[in-house]
Amino acid sequence: MQDNATEVTAAGIARLAGVGRAAVSNWRRRHADFPRPVGGTETSPSFALAEIESWLRKQGKLAEVPLRERVWQQLSGHPEGPVAALTHAGCLLLLIHDRPTVWLEVSAGSDERLSEMLPGALREVFTPRFGPEPAMDNAPGMNNAPAVNTRPAVNTPDAVSTADDVNPAPPVSDAHVASGVHTTSSVHTPSAVNTHPALRLPTGPELLPSAPLLRGVAELAAELGARQTFEFLLGRHLDANPRQYTLTPADLASLMADLAGPARTVLDPACGTGALLRAAATRPDQELHAQDSAPELAALTTLRLALQTWSTVHGAVGDSLRADAHPRLRADAVLCHPPFNERNWGHDELAYDPRWEYGFPARTESELAWVQHALARLKDGGAGVLLMPPAAASRRSGRRIRADLLRRGALRAVIALPVGAAPPYNIPLHLWVLRRPEKAPAQPEVLLVDVGQFAGEGRGGPDWRAVREAVLDAWQAFGRPGRFAERPGLARALPVIELLDDDVDLAPARHLPPPTAADGAEQLTAVREHLGETLRLTADLTPTRADAAHPARWPLTTIGELARGGALMLRTGGNGGHARVPVLTDHDVLFGADPSGTLPESEEEAVLTEPGDVVVPVLGGGSVARVIDATTGGAALGRNLVLLRPDPAALDPWFLAGFLRGTANNRQASSYASTATRLDVRRLQLPRLPLDEQRRYGERFRVLDEFERALRHAGRLGEQLVRGMYDGLTDGTVAPD
């Protein structure tokens, strides 16, 4: 069976041919035999992949396409949509992962034979991994489920949706999809259980259109491995639909799992793509319970967890507040990144729900409903960690519930994260650490931590190593017997009685005075002395008087010509990588900062910088170029950056970087066709000069760069000194004379 049903867009054709989209538009106009669109819209048509490949091959334009790119094109153009295709691919990869020899037998022969035999082979994997397949109706016997939910991850036929079924309105988190599945009555009881498990065994007719894709996926798995292949395909799908998904960063997920501690049974009631459960899955004897209101995410997460761990996975579809799939579960740990600021969370129909042990949440307090849901699913002494908006710690409408959580010892810690820790990145989110109380503590205390000081300068996020060390050190010290030693400005254990006022405000910043300042005056003196030294260095580095010269008329070349001639190598920043190294972002280059970013983990090869490379941002319209030195070499190249690696026998790197910064040079190489100016690095010009002359210019450019960095450092020190003086004068730690 030929893969005639798979469609590809103009962007996909450009990737297949290794050209720009403009070239594809030209081919459509100039070649009468170019394949006709078979779908899409007038402005964004799609074409049959088989016809496009045939035409490109006939024209000699088909580039050597990596296998992973071909498989992605088949998946993204699948007639049933990318989500259905990705689900089928995940099922196959689980079979290859668990029973590779079975796949070899199934794949022999025609596509029709493959689709007939594959469901039976998959059942042999599904049953030990997810349990026996249940009846597809909501039988009354489901109410007699055992105390620990053993519902397998098998869904009803309509549970796996296509991309068109995904609700694009508010983005879903790694723990959340905005639209819910409402299947309960107005009063929530243990019998009102959502019986839609997450993953359904596909049938032969459903698998037949996916047969060419599945063969390609199996070939890719032989190259990358089954786990890595699914991560690559899922990552590409998430990147292609960024507005639908808001992911929980891996570093944050790891921190939350560590705060919860070792656990055999773990629940995430709003699991999204499973980042939190992946972080918590550290041993094979665990049971992972996942639920999400988006059918496609619940299915994909069930497959992802089964591929990434040897734990037993119980996946379910449904809104956990309205249709809890695990009403009798008592987990060791609950991890959750719930939806924020939801008004339609079930306030009216859940008024008498037994989960509201600490008070009935107001309509505007959906986050406190998730907190109590987590506590209701924990065993006595079990730990929960939830990512919360900062307003949940101080809104007056939630003060009574917060007070009861404190009195009974259920809320153990509130941790203020740095800006940029998780979406929305402009808000410093909080972590709430819960413990289901076995008995009321005699003198309850709560730990307040603020690690906002570890926010990163760039857009790559905070200093996660510092955040992790500070948070875990404070949390472990809080759990030890004896009095907690306060860390000024960072962590403090407060008796609950001190917080039980009219507001019950738990925002850590309000209860943690800054680390002033018994030594505040001494610190300001040190900053002042450092500023003085920097200013003296800046004066020494000030460029000498500029002598007038006649305008030069050099012969010019372009970066593109130099790259074609082998004088330099040109690389662009990637979208992922398997190397866990610091990432140089465009923000770092623009502001002279150290590498501060991160890249999504994938099997894509990251571009690593070397000393002597020249890095150029392509967005923003600024004339900036940075020469990589020994301290920043080895960092991965981030997005929107181009790396130029000159041949030292042909080009001096400082000469190259200096001329690339010319204003006129940047203007002629920039596109002003849109509000976001983009630099075409290949069009930047350089004079053709002998290497000795290049080095003479390069030395002058290097000194200018050193002067610029000294100015920038002096500015930061000046801001620090001014802020410190204001703070010291206003809090009484610095005398006015």
Side-chain angles (χ1 to χ4, degrees), residues 208-547:
L208 184 58
S210 299
L213 166 67
L214 297 181
R215 295 186 188 278
V217 167
E219 188 179 351
L220 187 58
E223 179 181 305
L224 301 179
R227 293 176 175 176
Q228 292 80 1
T229 298
F230 189 74
E231 287 300 306
F232 164 70
L233 295 173
L234 177 62
R236 285 288 292 265
H237 173 66
L238 297 176
D239 287 343
N241 301 276
R243 295 187 179 182
Q244 292 181 13
Y245 308 103
T246 303
L247 307 181
T248 306
D251 289 304
L252 176 59
S254 176
L255 175 61
M256 293 173 67
D258 286 344
L259 285 168
R264 184 180 178 278
T265 306
V266 188
L267 166 68
D268 185 345
C271 64
T273 58
L276 294 174
L277 289 174
R278 286 181 70 205
T282 56
R283 61 189 209 218
D285 63 337
Q286 288 175 293
E287 289 193 13
L288 306 179
H289 297 262
Q291 182 169 350
D292 201 283
S293 59
E296 74 283 352
L297 277 181
L300 295 177
T301 293
T302 300
L303 286 167
R304 187 184 200 188
L305 293 172
L307 279 163
Q308 291 290 331
T309 75
W310 287 104
S311 305
T312 303
V313 181
H314 304 287
V317 177
D319 180 342
S320 290
L321 294 183
R322 285 188 169 97
D324 183 14
H326 311 286
R328 301 180 185 179
L329 176 66
R330 296 299 176 262
D332 298 310
V334 174
L335 302 174
C336 188
H337 177 172
F340 298 159
N341 303 319
E342 286 281 300
R343 296 298 181 97
N344 185 26
W345 58 267
H347 177 271
D348 295 338
E349 60 263 46
L350 299 176
Y352 301 101
D353 195 290
R355 288 173 292 181
W356 313 144
E357 190 177 344
Y358 300 87
F360 181 39
R363 190 182 302 277
T364 56
E365 294 288 351
S366 62
E367 296 86 7
L368 294 182
W370 286 98
V371 165
Q372 295 191 77
H373 174 76
L375 286 166
R377 295 296 158 262
L378 286 170
K379 70 176 185 181
D380 289 346
V385 184
L386 277 75
L387 186 65
M388 302 283 280
S394 55
R395 278 190 299 243
R396 288 188 60 81
S397 54
R399 65 189 186 278
R400 292 184 179 178
I401 294 177
R402 292 196 299 270
D404 207 28
L405 290 169
L406 291 173
R407 287 192 196 96
R408 297 169 62 180
L411 179 57
R412 303 295 292 134
V414 177
I415 300 164
L417 297 170
V419 171
Y425 288 109
N426 60 331
I427 298 175
L429 301 174
H430 289 179
L431 291 177
W432 285 25
V433 184
L434 311 171
R435 187 84 67 190
R436 183 168 179 84
E438 299 177 79
K439 60 180 181 179
Q443 294 179 327
E445 288 188 329
V446 64
L447 176 67
L448 300 179
V449 180
D450 188 345
V451 287
Q453 61 186 289
F454 300 120
E457 291 185 6
R459 289 178 294 185
D463 181 349
W464 278 111
R465 178 177 297 179
V467 168
R468 182 183 184 84
E469 289 177 356
V471 169
L472 294 180
D473 180 64
W475 175 244
Q476 290 162 5
F478 180 67
R480 290 193 286 266
R483 185 171 180 80
F484 179 83
E486 181 178 340
R487 290 133 168 93
L490 183 66
R492 183 183 183 191
L494 275 179
V496 163
I497 192 66
E498 294 187 21
L499 297 169
L500 297 178
D501 54 17
D502 288 342
D503 295 323
V504 196
D505 191 334
L506 306 182
R510 302 224 169 99
H511 304 280
L512 293 172
T516 56
D519 59 347
E522 289 81 359
Q523 289 182 356
L524 290 177
T525 300
V527 171
R528 186 178 184 280
E529 291 175 355
H530 194 184
L531 175 60
E533 293 171 3
T534 305
L535 290 174
R536 285 190 291 273
L537 174 63
T538 305
D540 294 339
L541 292 172
T542 301
T544 58
R545 182 173 60 88
D547 296 327

Side-chain angles (χ1 to χ4, degrees), residues 595-686:
S596 66
T598 58
L599 285 175
E601 188 172 349
S602 74
E603 288 304 306
E604 186 176 336
E605 195 69 32
V607 178
L608 301 182
T609 61
E610 297 178 2
D613 290 344
V614 177
V615 177
V616 184
V618 297
L619 293 180
S623 53
V624 177
R626 177 170 175 176
V627 178
I628 300 299
D629 57 19
T631 60
T632 53
L637 193 69
R639 298 177 182 179
N640 301 320
L641 290 175
V642 171
L643 179 144
L644 306 175
R645 182 165 294 160
D647 180 352
L651 283 173
D652 179 79
W654 285 105
F655 164 80
L656 172 63
F659 272 95
L660 294 187
R661 291 191 60 170
T663 302
N665 198 4
N666 274 260
R667 286 182 63 84
Q668 64 84 27
S670 296
S671 166
Y672 293 88
S674 68
T675 55
T677 303
R678 187 174 185 88
L679 182 69
D680 184 351
V681 175
R682 291 179 177 274
R683 292 174 54 191
L684 288 168
Q685 297 177 337
L686 282 179

Side-chain angles (χ1 to χ4, degrees), residues 139-153:
M142 292 298 295
N143 297 338
N144 300 320
V148 176
N149 176 21
T150 57
R151 183 175 296 106

